[in-house]
Amino acid sequence: MRFGHRALAATAAVASAGLLLGGCAVGTGGQAGETDAEYDPDAELSGTLTVMGFSADVDEVASARVEMTEAELGDVELEVVEGDLDIQQFLSSVASGEPPSLLYADRDQIGSLAARGAIIPLEDCIDGEGIETGDFVESALAQVTLDDTIYGIPEFNSVQLTMANQQLLDDASLSIEDVNGSDPEAMTAAAEALVQRSGDNVTVIGVDSKLPEFLPLWVGAAGGSVMSEDGRTAQLDSEEAVQALEWAAGIYEAQGGFPAIKATRDSADFFGAGNQFATNTLGAMPMEQWYLNVLNEVSPDAPLAFDTVRTTDGEPTAYATGSAWAIPSGSDNPEAACRWARVMTSVDAWRAAADARLALREESGLPFTGILTGNTVADGEIQGMTTADEEPWASGVAAMYEANENTFALPANPADAEFEDAMFEAVNSVLTSGADPAEALAKAQETAQSALDDGWAELEGGG
C-alpha cells in the first residue's frame, strides 16, 4: 500500500465541505458523539458494515488483514465503498443521517471531522474491545487525539528517507551526508553540482527538496514546528519556517527554477523501471519509505544510497503521516466498526500481512523490506522478518526503522484542512509566482491562526 499526503484538492474539500456541518460542531462529549453501542470483544455481531475510503483488495497487505478481520466479524456483511475518501460526500452523508458504518481517513483529517461532530469519541470502543493504545506510535496516536479525546485508531505510518543515486554522488565527489539535510548549505551546493541542463530544460535534477508537501519536515529539521504542540497556535511565520522555506525553495532556484524541476519530476516513470534513480536523472530527494519497496521491485540494480533525513544537528528525523479508522456519528453498526478497527490494526493481523508480503517477495526472488504499521509491537516483529541483507537495501531498511523511531507529526486540531490550505498556498506562491517567503508565510499565518481560533472557539463553545 502506498500512503502519503492526499492532493491539495482533497484538503480543500475538507475546508469547503466543513460548511455542511459548521453549525453542528460539538467537539468532545456533544450530542453528535453519543451512542448506545455496547462494545465487547466476545460479542457475536450481525448486520452490515459499510466502509468508506478503503480498498479491500489493493494488495496482499490489505487482503490478508481483511480476511482475518472478516472472520472476527462473524455474520456481519461487509460492503466497501471503493476508492479514495471523498470528504464532501462523507460529510453530506453524516448531515443527511445516512453515514457509512466506518470511515478510513488520513490522520490529518481526523481533527476537523471530530470538531464538526462527524465522528465519535472512541474511548468506549477502545475500552470495550480492548484496543491496546499504548502499542501505537506516539506521534500517530497524538494526531488522532483532539482535546485529550481519541477519535481514530491509527493504521500505517509514513516517514521520509533520504534517497540518492550513488553513481551521481560519486561522479560529483559527494556522499549521502551532503544531501541528507544535516548541512543545508552543503545540500544546496550538492544540488548545483549534480544538476544538468539542456537549454531551459533540466535533464538531471540535482536535489529535489519536495516542496510543497515537505515544508513541515524541513521546519522540524531546523528545530522548529509549523504549529504549537497543543494545536492552538500557528507558527508559520516563525524564524525556522521562513528560513526553511527560503532554503528549500532556493534549492530549486539554484537548479533553474521550480517550473523546470517540476516538469522533469512529472515526466518521470515514477513507479516503473524507468524511474529517476534507474535512469540517473535524479541525484537525491526525501521520499516516503514505501518507495523503497517500489524501487527494489522495479529497479533492483539501480545505484542507490539511503539514509534518514537529518536535522541540522545531524539527528534522524521524520514528519509522520498516515491513516486511521474512525466511526462516523450516526453509524448504523458501531460495534462492528470498532471490532474491524481493532482487528485490522492488531499485531496478529500485521503478522499475517507481513507473512503474505514475505511469501510474495520470496517467490519473486526479492528481499522483504518491511512494513511500517503504526503499531510499535508489530513493527518490532516485522523488522525481524526483513530479508534485505545486501546493500543498498540493508541500509534502506535500517534507515526506515531508525526514522520511524524519531518522528513528529502535526497535532490534531479543529482546523487542520484550513491550516494546510493556508500553508501550501504560501509555499506554492513562492514556487510558482516568486512571492517573498517571509511575506507569503506572514499572510498564511494570519489565515491559519484565524481558522484555528474559530475552530477552537466553536469546539469549546459547543457549536
Side-chain angles (χ1 to χ4, degrees), residues 45-360:
L45 305 176
S46 60
T48 300
L49 180 70
T50 305
V51 184
M52 180 180 285
F54 177 72
S55 294
D57 57 356
V58 66
D59 62 13
E60 70 282 358
V61 173
S63 59
R65 292 181 301 127
V66 168
E67 182 179 352
M68 177 177 290
T69 305
E70 284 192 288
E72 292 281 344
L73 289 175
D75 293 332
V76 174
E77 181 180 352
L78 177 64
E79 294 183 1
V80 176
V81 181
E82 294 286 348
D84 290 338
L85 175 62
D86 183 325
I87 283 289
Q88 188 154 358
Q89 178 186 4
F90 169 68
L91 290 174
S92 296
S93 73
V94 174
S96 68
E98 296 182 352
S101 313
L102 179 65
L103 180 70
Y104 190 60
D106 283 354
R107 293 200 299 264
D108 62 5
Q109 297 170 325
I110 295 297
S112 286
L113 294 175
R116 293 183 171 102
I119 55 178
I120 67 172
L122 296 182
E123 268 74 8
D124 290 344
C125 160
I126 290 167
D127 292 341
E129 279 283 338
I131 297 174
E132 298 291 342
T133 57
D135 291 347
F136 293 117
V137 174
E138 185 176 348
S139 61
L141 188 63
Q143 200 172 22
V144 295
T145 303
L146 180 68
D147 206 20
D148 298 323
T149 300
I150 298 173
Y151 285 89
I153 304 300
E155 182 185 87
F156 288 104
N157 210 37
S158 288
V159 301
Q160 302 81 26
L161 306 182
T162 298
M163 303 186 181
N165 183 303
Q166 186 65 60
Q167 179 179 324
L168 292 178
L169 292 179
D170 290 342
D171 291 347
S173 299
L174 296 169
S175 69
I176 192 72
E177 287 77 17
D178 293 308
V179 293
N180 65 9
S182 59
D183 185 338
E185 292 184 2
M187 196 162 167
T188 301
E192 294 175 316
L194 291 166
V195 68
Q196 296 179 32
R197 292 187 285 269
S198 176
D200 293 333
N201 298 320
V202 173
T203 56
V204 176
I205 300 172
V207 174
D208 189 345
S209 56
K210 294 300 291 294
L211 293 181
E213 61 267 35
F214 286 168
L215 178 64
L217 170 68
W218 297 124
V219 176
S225 176
V226 297
M227 184 184 294
S228 62
E229 289 185 6
D230 61 8
R232 294 176 179 269
T233 305
Q235 297 174 165
L236 291 171
D237 61 349
S238 65
E239 180 179 354
E240 294 89 350
V242 173
Q243 290 181 352
L245 180 54
E246 289 175 342
W247 167 73
I251 281 183
Y252 293 126
E253 289 304 310
Q255 300 176 86
F258 179 73
I261 296 295
K262 187 174 186 300
T264 303
R265 177 205 285 178
D266 292 348
S267 66
D269 179 20
F270 195 76
F271 293 103
N275 64 75
Q276 291 169 289
F277 289 121
T279 56
N280 298 318
T281 54
L282 172 63
M285 68 175 177
M287 185 61 199
E288 284 94 346
Q289 87 287 342
W290 50 258
Y291 197 50
L292 175 72
N293 186 63
V294 173
L295 292 171
N296 180 256
E297 183 174 341
V298 301
S299 53
D301 298 322
L304 289 157
F306 301 100
D307 192 11
T308 61
V309 175
R310 301 278 170 174
T311 69
T312 52
D313 292 329
E315 299 299 319
T317 191
Y319 167 49
T321 59
S323 47
W325 296 102
I327 301 179
S329 294
S331 169
D332 60 358
N333 202 341
E335 293 92 347
C338 184
R339 177 77 55 84
W340 174 283
R342 174 180 65 81
V343 180
M344 283 289 285
T345 61
S346 68
V347 175
D348 287 343
W350 287 121
R351 188 183 299 119
D355 285 339
R357 172 66 59 84
L358 175 60
L360 285 180

